Amino acid sequence: MFSLFQALVVMIKNDDKAPQMSKFLGRRLFFSAAVVLLLIILLLTGVITPNPRPY
């Protein structure tokens, strides 16, 4: 969430000296992909298990 708000501030200020907005959005995308990959690895290794089906 922090990177998203940083990108918002950069977009609102529109300063040429500030870092590009894509830097913050890319960081957010990388973090989200890393979390999803970690969840998949944990599911495949059996560290965490999904809820059983209700039917």
Side-chain angles (χ1 to χ4, degrees), residues 26-47:
R27 187 181 299 162
R28 177 180 164 89
L29 179 66
F30 175 74
F31 180 72
S32 299
V35 168
V36 169
L37 185 64
L38 179 66
L39 283 173
I40 290 172
I41 290 171
L42 291 174
L43 277 170
L44 291 175
T45 57
V47 175

Side-chain angles (χ1 to χ4, degrees), residues 50-55:
N51 289 334
R53 291 184 175 187
Y55 50 87

Side-chain angles (χ1 to χ4, degrees), residues 4-20:
L4 185 63
F5 286 114
Q6 280 181 324
L8 177 68
V9 169
V10 168
M11 184 177 69
I12 290 173
K13 284 186 178 180
N14 199 13
D15 187 13
D16 292 337
K17 298 175 189 172
Q20 294 292 324

